[in-house]
Amino acid sequence: MSVRDADVLIVGGGIVGLSAAVFLSAQGVPVQLVERRPSALAHPRARVINPRTVELYRQVGLEPAIQAARSRAKYSSGLVIRADTLTAPERAVTEMQASPDPSRDGNVSTASWIPIDQDQLECVVRSRAAELGAGIAFSTELTGLQAEPDGITARVKDLGSGEEHEVSARFLIAADGYRSAIRDQLGITVSGPGMIGHTLCFVFEADLTGPLRGRHLAVGHFNQPRPGTSLISHSEGRWVFSVPFRPDQGESLPSFTEDRCVALARAAVGDQDLDLKIVPQLAGGITTLDYEIGAQVADRYAEGPVFLAGDAAHVMPPAGAFGAGTGIADAHNLAWKLAATLEGSAGPGLLATYQAERQPVARFTLAQSLHLLRERTGRDIPYDEGGPQVGYEQVIFGYRYGAGALAAERGQTAGFSLAPDEPTGAPGTRAPHVALVRNGEEISALDLYGGRCVLVCGSAGGPWAEAMSQVSANLGWPAEVYRLGADLIDPGARWERAHGVAASGAVLIRPDGFVAWRAKDQRAGDAAGLARVLDEALAGCQLAGRQAVLEGSESRR
């Protein structure tokens, strides 16, 4: 069994677990991932990834491969049809609304939406994780877990051979889904509306040329075989079928035999003689899957060295398609903090900021998904967290960390969710996109972030650059330093204005592209002041020799 000890053990091989493996491996952290399924799930689920997610994947070199694997189904275009069946007269027909593209005017991001089925995305991300050195073991189940303050010992079982052995790691990421056994073992409760319903899904192949009558179908919502049935374009000649079912009334997944599934698909299409083939979604011939539609957020995101991510931490209805992107951002936020802790450049306080930052985002995003669910279905599902409904781009780009790995500014009172086309550069916000030139090449300011913390200084911010160099050299604290006019050219003269600083100011950007701290001018550009800021912004960094540097800086005043 190819399972090894590692710094971080990841349990769960869906898109969040695989993304965590990539983000950690890209920073040199030894990773082992285990997944009890025999292979990746052959079901599209999410059909598109949003621009913020693309920004995160770009940092680890994944964007070209994702672009190359773009979906051929053109799911982002076509008709949304409501009718009794596909062959029946339509009650309503609308065009699939193209998602807002922040790259259209170049003010928010250079990334754009990428239509890609989640099963294809998982293959791309899995390949990148393996390329970066992550250990990945499918058909491997976690059967025991012991967590101590200084690490975890897990027992895993190869489901093919039956072999079991122990794996040790410093930290564990539980990305084992909305029914997370690890979350339950740790006694972590959840809050929110909870379970909303169950959906049965399967994939089938059929020629629907006749029933389509020349229409390009993106999604069909039908009353047959029961209200809530949907048919979604997957790829050429392949379709995703889903129908509500009710375990509380005695229905079970095994009761949906292949013959019954064929009959359900024929009923939705409206052709009792339709020739179709049910397609397995997992190795081993598994064809039907049960998805529990829920709305909940974990009350705690961590217990000792164990951290929840993705659906283990939060579950959202499909409205808005926020779940995968939120989980991937969880993994990215946690990865740089784990890497800094393992490297020794941060104290244990940094990991405590994971919940402080990501839990409010999950509650806010869940509320936005429920707003959309009410709007689209009329279902009144109460949830008081998250505030009023806001625009889509504001959900994925505009949330603000109010507390965490940042040095908040005095009098900072801006709201939780900000319009992304009005960047402020304030601590806790995503650093703005600004077009720059580096070594003669046009880049986005976003391209500077991802590996280590980055200090960008204004055109007259030389003292800040010198202070950071001194801190890095004397304290062993890793950071990259750029100065406008020297290392970077700002042809549009936007960077200082977008970040809210004068020419003598500076901004410290975290590896996830969020602002940790900024100096609006040069009033405190010395190594002692900067070291104190780093200590605050990065939640108790244990910097070797810190006191000596502070004392040396004070003596030079």
Side-chain angles (χ1 to χ4, degrees):
M1 181 166 51
S2 58
V3 180
R4 65 195 189 202
D5 292 346
D7 282 349
V8 179
L9 174 66
I10 301 171
V11 179
I15 191 58
V16 173
L18 291 169
S19 297
V22 168
F23 296 143
L24 285 163
S25 297
Q27 299 185 70
V29 176
V31 171
Q32 175 64 59
L33 181 148
V34 296
E35 165 58 55
R36 65 183 182 84
R37 294 178 302 169
S39 63
L41 183 62
H43 185 289
R45 289 161 292 163
R47 312 302 302 277
V48 64
I49 54 175
N50 66 52
R52 177 56 183 161
T53 302
V54 175
E55 289 180 356
L56 301 182
Y57 282 144
R58 178 183 292 174
Q59 292 183 0
V60 290
L62 266 171
E63 186 182 16
I66 294 172
Q67 291 283 10
R70 292 169 67 97
S71 172
R72 302 175 187 174
K74 298 181 180 178
Y75 171 78
S76 56
S77 65
L79 300 178
V80 179
I81 295 172
R82 298 182 185 277
D84 284 338
T85 68
L86 182 61
T87 57
E90 302 100 339
R91 292 195 307 276
V93 180
T94 58
E95 287 282 346
M96 173 68 77
Q97 294 295 314
S99 300
D101 189 344
S103 66
R104 194 170 298 154
D105 58 14
N107 288 331
V108 177
S109 179
T110 57
S112 59
W113 295 82
I114 300 181
I116 180 171
D117 295 340
Q118 187 170 322
D119 53 341
Q120 291 299 313
L121 178 63
E122 288 182 4
C123 289
V124 172
V125 176
R126 178 182 178 181
S127 294
R128 181 61 173 157
E131 179 184 330
L132 291 169
I136 300 175
F138 277 71
S139 293
T140 305
E141 184 177 19
L142 180 78
T143 58
L145 174 64
Q146 182 176 352
E148 302 291 344
D150 59 348
I152 65 98
T153 301
R155 190 156 190 85
V156 297
K157 179 179 181 180
D158 185 317
L159 297 179
S161 67
E163 177 187 355
E164 290 191 58
H165 76 250
E166 289 186 344
V167 181
S168 297
R170 178 66 185 85
F171 298 104
L172 183 145
I173 298 177
D176 56 339
Y178 69 97
R179 292 175 178 168
S180 173
I182 296 174
R183 184 188 63 218
D184 291 346
Q185 178 181 334
L186 297 175
I188 297 177
T189 55
V190 297
S191 299
M195 197 271 288
I196 298 174
H198 285 262
T199 297
L200 171 89
C201 292
F202 59 83
V203 178
F204 69 90
E205 292 177 346
D207 180 1
L208 299 185
T209 303
L212 285 171
R213 304 192 301 276
R215 299 169 296 180
H216 173 48
L217 179 71
V219 185
H221 298 289
F222 306 126
N223 284 337
Q224 299 297 328
R226 61 180 57 167
T229 296
S230 68
L231 189 64
I232 302 174
S233 170
H234 181 297
S235 56
E236 190 66 32
R238 184 170 286 196
W239 309 88
V240 180
F241 176 94
S242 65
V243 63
F245 81 105
R246 305 176 182 88
D248 60 331
Q249 296 181 17
E251 290 188 324
S252 65
L253 200 61
S255 70
F256 288 86
T257 63
E258 182 168 340
D259 287 344
R260 185 178 179 186
C261 290
V262 168
L264 292 171
R266 287 173 172 170
V269 173
D271 181 353
Q272 297 305 313
D273 298 318
L274 179 69
D275 184 20
L276 66 94
K277 176 184 177 183
I278 307 297
V279 179
Q281 299 184 64
L282 282 173
I286 296 174
T287 56
T288 55
L289 298 172
D290 166 19
Y291 287 99
E292 183 176 322
I293 300 175
Q296 64 188 32
V297 177
D299 294 323
R300 288 184 290 124
Y301 271 32
E303 178 67 31
V306 181
F307 297 85
L308 308 183
D311 285 356
H314 47 73
V315 179
M316 300 176 191
F322 295 124
T326 306
I328 293 165
D330 290 343
H332 192 271
N333 181 289
L334 182 57
W336 78 262
K337 294 173 180 177
L338 287 172
T341 302
L342 289 164
E343 184 183 58
S345 60
L350 182 60
L351 289 176
T353 68
Y354 172 61
Q355 173 175 322
E357 293 181 352
R358 296 305 301 169
Q359 188 183 57
V361 172
R363 288 171 174 160
F364 162 72
T365 309
L366 172 57
Q368 297 305 309
S369 181
L370 289 172
H371 281 307
L372 290 172
L373 187 68
R374 296 184 198 105
E375 184 179 274
R376 295 174 183 178
T377 68
R379 297 182 66 175
D380 184 17
I381 301 172
Y383 185 64
D384 295 331
E385 306 278 355
Q389 188 171 2
V390 301
Y392 202 99
E393 289 185 16
Q394 198 164 329
V395 178
I396 62 173
F397 283 118
Y399 59 80
R400 177 179 191 164
Y401 297 140
L406 56 96
E409 295 174 342
R410 186 173 299 174
Q412 185 171 307
T413 58
F416 178 79
S417 180
L418 311 174
D421 57 351
E422 298 177 4
T424 68
T429 64
R430 168 184 165 273
H433 154 64
V434 178
L436 300 172
V437 176
R438 179 179 58 179
N439 298 327
E441 178 186 0
E442 293 184 3
I443 65 167
S444 166
L446 305 178
D447 296 328
L448 302 173
Y449 318 136
R452 299 185 180 278
C453 287
V454 173
L455 184 76
V456 183
C457 308
S459 55
W464 283 118
E466 294 171 7
M468 178 58 86
S469 296
Q470 182 181 344
V471 170
S472 296
N474 289 280
L475 303 184
W477 195 83
E480 297 178 9
V481 181
Y482 298 95
R483 181 177 170 185
L484 292 180
D487 310 299
L488 304 169
I489 306 300
D490 181 11
R494 284 192 63 236
W495 188 90
E496 291 164 0
R497 183 174 70 256
H499 290 77
V501 300
S504 60
V507 181
L508 181 68
I509 312 295
R510 308 181 334 181
D512 58 357
F514 274 72
V515 177
W517 161 85
R518 68 177 170 182
K520 295 184 178 181
D521 52 37
Q522 185 51 44
R523 284 174 293 181
D526 60 82
L530 189 56
R532 291 192 185 95
V533 164
L534 295 177
D535 207 32
E536 176 185 0
L538 299 178
C541 295
Q542 295 175 339
L543 303 172
R546 175 177 183 274
Q547 190 60 39
V549 170
L550 292 179
E551 291 172 354
S553 179
E554 293 289 344
S555 68
R556 288 189 293 273
R557 291 189 173 183

